[in-house]
């Protein structure tokens, strides 16, 4: 029997406030404390709370036969705790049903996997700890920021002890293969790979309310008809999308919530599909082939590579300027600097600097709080300049403290030797 695997991504960055050149060295408040809570509360009302209620009701109505999975970034969880704790309560209620699996990712939804092995491992470990502390689950499956993946990433994820990883079912890596199977990663380990079926996922996430689409309007009946036309030997249909699809990207008046309510009923009653968690899919189905991905892929833009974040000189300059500080940061023990280092790594900051046109550009502009990518770059670099000033000051202070400590230790040692010599006399 084939299965449906629903995975929803949840991430919210700490958006930066307008930060002027003249703020550098004077003002260390980087985050927009008006916009950030307002956005969290707006999306909670439009998406998180109503969608969670629908999913909870579906789980109860179908006696646990409806299952979903989530990956919630650490920065999103931090904002839920700070601005809208009712969101966390709602997700805890979902997890308590036993029908929700939580996945691991980078804490700050960062690009650390392509920048620093140590930072990547540190962020993943921190995220796993956060998930366990809030929800009592220890993630077994990993999904990298924006489904970024290559053979090297797979190797690192396997070394961290995960059973499987999610990524994009990009045509460039599949050739004529189907994404509807479990694959084995190209590593020495037994790490398994689940691939997003981007056509069926994007029919919901991007095309649902598009009245120019030749399949509009999309109903649950029509969608299940498409599923039933798939070859019976296919193992698992991975439907991966942003959770904000429901109510935020696709507004309530588009009928998206009715679709969410009706789809599980139609699948369970009118098809041979069941619902599985990612870890269940990995255990239930044997890999059919080894998947080698030497070049980095993601689920972003038509190119499905890293160009959404590192596609121009602005983005590369900001990215390199950030990660050249990593060795200094590792020597710093200031909790506020470590917090800012984490939040400044969010991939969103580089996404805002994209200069892409056409369809990709429209998507970037939809999520961009800045009037232009150049202003995004200037604002970010101003903040990063101040961060570096603080970091260097912290390290100088630490060096002085270490030197002072060594001086005291030397004095105490000399005094001890002097006393021991006087006793002998």
């Amino acid at each position: 029997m084939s299965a449906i695997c629903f995975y929803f991504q949840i991430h919210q960055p700490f958006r930066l406030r307008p930060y002027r050149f003249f703020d550098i060295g004077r003002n260390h408040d980087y985050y927009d404390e008006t916009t950030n809570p307002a956005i969290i509360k707006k999306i909670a009302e439009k998406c998180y709370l109503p969608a969670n209620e629908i999913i909870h009701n579906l789980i109860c109505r179908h006696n646990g036969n409806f299952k979903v999975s989530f990956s919630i970034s650490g920065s999103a969880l931090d904002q839920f705790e700070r601005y809208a704790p009712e969101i966390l309560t709602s997700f805890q209620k979902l997890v308590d049903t036993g029908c929700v699996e939580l996945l691991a990712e980078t804490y700050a939804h960062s690009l650390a996997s392509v920048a620093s092995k140590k930072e990547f491992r540190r962020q993943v470990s921190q995220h796993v700890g956060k998930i366990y502390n809030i929800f009592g689950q220890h993630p077994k499956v990993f999904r990298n920021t924006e489904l970024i993946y290559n053979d090297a990433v797979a190797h690192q994820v396997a070394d961290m002890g995960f059973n499987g990883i999610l990524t994009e079912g990009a045509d460039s890596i599949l050739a004529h293969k189907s994404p509807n199977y479990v694959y084995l990663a190209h590593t020495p380990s037994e790490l398994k790979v689940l691939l997003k079926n981007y056509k069926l996922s994007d029919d919901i996430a991007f095309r649902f309310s598009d009245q120019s689409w030749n399949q509009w309007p999309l109903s649950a009946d029509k969608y299940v008809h498409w599923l039933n036309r798939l070859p019976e030997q296919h193992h698992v249909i991975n439907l991966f999308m942003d959770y904000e699809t429901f109510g935020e990207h696709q507004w309530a008046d588009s009928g998206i919530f009715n679709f969410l309510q009706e789809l599980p009923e139609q699948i369970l009653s009118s098809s041979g599909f069941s619902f599985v968690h990612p870890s269940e899919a990995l255990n239930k189905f044997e890999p059919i082939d080894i998947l080698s991905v030497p070049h980095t892929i993601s689920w972003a833009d038509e190119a499905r590579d890293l160009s959404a974040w590192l596609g121009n000189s602005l983005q590369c300059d900001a990215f390199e300027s950030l990660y050249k500080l990593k060795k200094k940061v590792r020597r710093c023990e200031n909790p506020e600097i470590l917090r800012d280092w984490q939040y400044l790594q969010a991939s969103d900051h580089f996404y805002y600097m994209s200069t892409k046109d056409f369809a990709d550009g429209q998507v970037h502009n939809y999520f961009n709080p800045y009037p232009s990518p150049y202003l995004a770059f200037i604002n970010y670099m101003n903040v990063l300049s101040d961060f570096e000033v603080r970091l260097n000051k912290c390290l100088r202070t630490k060096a002085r403290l270490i030197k002072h400590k060594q001086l005291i230790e030397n004095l105490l040692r000399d005094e001890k030797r002097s006393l021991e010599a006087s006793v002998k006399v």
Side-chain angles (χ1 to χ4, degrees):
M1 178 184 290
S2 299
I4 301 290
C5 181
F6 260 123
Y7 151 70
F8 302 119
Q9 172 182 306
I10 300 172
H11 166 63
Q12 294 296 328
F14 277 90
R15 295 162 183 85
L16 303 175
R17 70 172 181 86
Y19 195 88
R20 304 172 305 156
F21 174 81
F22 298 103
D23 288 330
I24 298 172
R26 299 179 181 180
N27 191 327
H28 310 315
D29 295 327
Y30 303 150
Y31 311 107
D32 193 330
E33 289 301 328
T34 299
T35 300
N36 286 322
I39 288 177
I40 293 297
K41 292 173 182 177
K42 181 193 74 168
I43 300 179
E45 181 179 343
K46 293 180 67 176
C47 170
Y48 300 145
L49 297 179
N52 281 2
E53 183 177 0
I54 289 171
I55 288 178
H56 188 273
N57 291 339
L58 287 168
I59 289 171
C60 295
R61 184 188 313 161
H62 296 291
N63 299 314
N65 290 318
F66 179 57
K67 301 175 181 180
V68 299
S69 58
F70 294 95
S71 182
I72 313 175
S73 71
S75 58
L77 291 170
D78 289 346
Q79 291 186 78
F80 296 166
E81 288 177 320
R82 184 179 304 182
Y83 305 130
E86 65 273 17
I87 301 176
L88 279 185
T89 301
S90 179
F91 277 109
Q92 287 169 329
K93 183 180 177 182
L94 272 183
V95 172
D96 287 344
T97 64
C99 294
V100 172
E101 180 173 19
L102 299 175
L103 310 184
E105 65 162 279
T106 58
Y107 194 94
H109 199 78
S110 73
L111 304 176
S113 62
V114 296
S116 168
K117 290 182 179 180
K118 287 184 179 180
E119 180 62 21
F120 181 48
R121 181 180 286 270
R122 187 195 66 78
Q123 280 202 29
V124 173
S125 176
Q126 185 179 6
H127 183 261
V128 167
K130 184 83 170 181
I131 292 296
Y132 183 79
N133 288 338
I134 294 177
F135 300 105
Q137 273 197 25
H138 194 284
K140 303 174 184 176
V141 179
F142 184 79
R143 75 110 233 163
N144 200 12
T145 302
E146 304 294 328
L147 299 187
I148 290 171
Y149 182 88
N150 58 35
D151 292 338
V153 169
H155 199 178
Q156 293 177 67
V157 170
D159 284 346
M160 286 187 271
F162 292 101
N163 299 332
I165 186 170
L166 276 55
T167 191
E168 174 75 0
D171 295 334
S172 61
I173 64 168
L174 282 172
H176 301 294
K177 299 174 184 176
S178 169
N180 303 332
Y181 293 99
V182 175
Y183 289 87
L184 197 63
H186 192 263
T187 71
S189 72
E190 293 297 312
L191 185 76
K192 297 177 182 179
V193 185
L194 291 177
L195 299 172
K196 172 188 169 186
N197 185 311
Y198 70 81
K199 183 185 182 303
L200 287 170
S201 299
D202 293 353
D203 285 341
I204 301 173
F206 293 104
R207 290 182 280 274
F208 184 85
S209 61
D210 182 2
Q211 296 187 25
S212 66
W213 182 32
N214 62 5
Q215 295 298 330
W216 185 87
L218 179 60
S219 65
D221 286 344
K222 182 187 291 186
Y223 198 84
V224 172
H225 175 67
W226 294 344
L227 292 173
N228 286 333
R229 288 165 51 189
L230 295 171
E232 291 184 3
Q233 67 268 26
H234 284 194
H235 289 166
V236 57
I237 317 304
N238 298 306
L239 303 177
F240 301 166
M241 63 197 74
D242 289 335
Y243 198 38
E244 293 82 7
T245 294
F246 304 101
E248 173 64 13
H249 302 164
Q250 309 291 342
W251 291 2
D253 59 11
S254 71
I256 191 67
F257 285 123
N258 292 333
F259 180 82
L260 177 60
Q261 289 177 317
E262 295 168 5
L263 185 61
E265 175 68 34
Q266 290 293 327
I267 289 175
L268 291 171
S269 65
S270 304
S271 79
F273 289 91
S274 61
F275 290 95
V276 294
H277 294 145
S279 59
E280 291 176 322
L282 297 174
N283 291 329
K284 184 175 182 179
F285 303 109
E286 288 297 320
I288 67 161
D289 200 356
I290 295 175
L291 192 68
S292 179
V293 186
H295 304 294
T296 306
I297 63 170
S298 75
W299 74 353
D301 296 349
E302 291 185 7
R304 290 179 166 81
D305 56 13
L306 292 178
S307 60
W309 310 277
L310 299 175
N312 64 42
S313 58
L314 298 177
Q315 294 169 311
C316 292
D317 184 31
F319 183 78
E320 291 168 5
S321 297
L322 172 69
Y323 281 102
K324 76 176 184 180
L325 303 176
K326 64 180 184 292
K327 291 183 179 179
K328 289 184 177 181
V329 172
R330 290 187 193 128
R331 292 156 45 201
C332 181
E333 299 175 355
N334 183 299
E336 292 183 356
I337 287 181
L338 296 177
R339 176 205 64 188
D340 293 339
W341 163 249
Q342 189 144 268
Y343 293 158
L344 289 174
Q345 290 184 68
S347 62
D348 310 71
H349 302 307
F350 308 102
Y351 191 86
Y352 300 149
M353 301 174 199
S354 173
T355 52
K356 290 189 176 185
D357 295 323
F358 306 111
D360 288 344
Q362 292 176 11
V363 175
H364 281 261
N365 290 336
Y366 177 83
F367 292 102
N368 198 338
Y370 296 95
S372 78
Y374 306 100
L375 290 176
F377 172 76
I378 291 170
N379 202 66
Y380 182 81
M381 295 304 288
N382 284 344
V383 169
L384 192 59
S385 295
D386 183 80
F387 176 79
E388 186 171 7
V389 169
R390 291 169 56 214
L391 177 60
N392 289 335
K393 182 179 179 181
C394 175
L395 293 179
R396 287 195 299 270
T397 301
K398 182 178 180 181
R400 286 196 298 269
L401 290 174
I402 291 174
K403 186 176 181 179
H404 183 65
K405 180 182 178 182
Q406 290 175 340
L407 179 61
I408 292 175
E409 289 175 348
N410 290 339
L411 289 172
L412 290 174
R413 185 171 59 251
D414 290 345
E415 183 177 355
K416 181 180 179 182
R417 288 174 179 172
S418 177
L419 287 172
E420 288 174 348
S422 65
V423 169
K424 290 180 179 178
V425 173

